[in-house]
Amino acid sequence: MKKTIFAFAMLLTIAACSENKPSQAVENETEQAPQTEAAANVDPETRQANMEEAQAYLKECGTFFIATTDGDQPRVRAFGVSEIIDGRLYIMTGKVKDVYKQMAKNGKFEICALKPSGSEWMRLSGTLVNDETLSVKEEFLNRNEGLKGMYKADDGNMAVLYITNATARFCSFAEPERKVNF
């Protein structure tokens, strides 16, 4: 049953991602994506609370799956780390990886995170913005000691990307979907 639920959630994620039309990449902070109307209408306190709720969900799930596009082909990968640093929700990867190249080409993404129960999941979509701030990379590594063997903040490979224009959809088989923006 859990595998069926997970497969269904992944299919929904892939379908949603493949409907995205390619867009200009958001490669770094100076090119930040304009805020969507939904995100702009959230007051700062609520935005922070919504971001923290999404982060807590990702942490509880442990592993989450991120969908990107490679031309017209959806691609899905497992990720396991995210952090809120300086009021932004970040994920990280390596710049040499195909997933980073796809994110740089089209910053739109969707994450699907399934709770261990198998009956609750979150779909998180938005735009990723690369952040080259050394102190953010260092903080990310300090919070995730296991990554220090693979990355260094100044290695030219470590990429930390924060989420903008986010919509988190909390879903389950027992309750109606609930949506928050940040």
Side-chain angles (χ1 to χ4, degrees), residues 6 14 16 45 47 56 79 93 99 118 142 157 170-171 179-180:
F6 179 73
I14 291 169
E45 236 176 74
R47 179 179 291 116
F79 273 59
T93 190
V99 69
N142 287 337
N157 180 41
F170 298 93
C171 308
K179 180 171 77 169
V180 300

Side-chain angles (χ1 to χ4, degrees), residues 33-176:
Q35 233 179 8
T36 62
E37 185 178 336
N41 289 333
V42 179
D43 67 85
E45 236 176 74
T46 302
R47 179 179 291 116
Q48 185 68 26
N50 292 348
M51 184 187 316
E52 289 172 3
E53 181 180 13
Q55 164 71 357
Y57 206 102
L58 292 173
K59 292 279 189 184
E60 182 178 348
C61 292
T63 301
F64 53 92
F65 296 85
I66 187 163
T68 61
T69 57
D70 183 13
D72 66 348
Q73 180 64 46
R75 302 287 181 199
V76 179
R77 289 153 182 98
F79 273 59
V81 293
S82 62
E83 296 294 340
I84 295 176
I85 302 171
D86 298 333
R88 293 176 171 161
L89 179 55
Y90 286 88
I91 61 169
M92 68 90 37
T93 190
K95 290 181 180 178
V96 298
K97 295 181 179 182
D98 287 342
V99 69
Y100 175 78
K101 294 170 188 168
Q102 291 156 14
M103 292 171 180
K105 192 170 187 178
N106 180 352
K108 292 182 180 178
F109 75 96
E110 187 155 289
I111 286 173
C112 187
L114 181 68
K115 282 193 176 180
S117 70
S119 62
E120 299 173 83
W121 62 96
M122 176 183 67
R123 291 174 40 220
L124 175 62
S125 60
T127 306
L128 292 166
V129 178
N130 188 41
D131 187 343
E132 290 295 331
T133 308
L134 190 60
S135 62
V136 171
K137 291 178 178 184
E138 289 169 345
E139 181 63 24
F140 202 101
L141 288 173
N142 287 337
R143 294 183 191 182
N144 297 278
E145 293 283 329
L147 296 173
K148 286 185 175 182
M150 297 180 284
Y151 298 97
K152 294 191 180 358
D154 61 354
D155 67 4
N157 180 41
M158 183 180 179
V160 290
L161 303 105
Y162 64 88
I163 299 170
T164 63
N165 302 319
T167 299
R169 291 177 168 85
F170 298 93
C171 308
S172 84
F173 291 116
E175 301 289 327

Side-chain angles (χ1 to χ4, degrees), residues 10-25:
M10 290 308 301
L11 286 173
L12 288 173
T13 300
I14 291 169
C17 188
S18 65
E19 291 175 7
N20 288 340
K21 298 199 175 17
S23 67
Q24 178 79 20

